[in-house]
Amino acid sequence: MPTLLIVFGIRFFFYMDEHEPIHVHVSYGGKKAKIELLPDIRVVYNHGLKEKELRKAIVTCENYKEDFIAEWHRRFG
């Protein structure tokens, strides 16, 4: 599971066998979420992240969207 970034203790990563649409997985304190990057940033699921944690994850995805997409294409494209 390649880690893309860890910020605010939140880990952003891909699984090795990813599929489209382009997305990242998020982990924080044993809680998880999945966030699509295209066509727009959208929370697919949230399993336990608090509102504040999820908001930080979304803002991070907005800030690093192009980097995450480039890495997706490098690994899976």
Side-chain angles (χ1 to χ4, degrees), residues 18-71:
E18 289 292 8
H19 54 83
E20 292 197 16
I22 297 175
H23 61 277
V24 294
H25 295 271
V26 176
S27 176
Y28 179 77
K31 300 167 239 161
K32 298 180 180 183
K34 178 178 171 181
I35 301 174
E36 282 184 3
L37 301 174
L38 291 176
D40 297 311
I41 293 175
R42 177 179 81 89
V43 177
V44 176
Y45 65 75
N46 174 20
H47 294 202
L49 272 74
K50 294 179 181 175
E51 179 86 23
K52 185 176 180 180
E53 299 160 350
L54 187 60
R55 185 73 200 134
K56 285 181 182 179
I58 291 168
V59 168
T60 301
C61 284
E62 291 169 352
N63 291 336
Y64 287 89
K65 179 178 179 175
E66 297 306 317
D67 296 323
F68 290 167
I69 292 169
E71 187 62 19

Side-chain angles (χ1 to χ4, degrees), residues 5-19:
L5 179 70
I6 298 174
V7 63
F8 306 115
I10 303 168
R11 179 175 170 240
F12 297 81
F13 63 97
F14 297 140
Y15 286 109
M16 295 305 296
D17 59 346
E18 289 292 8
H19 54 83

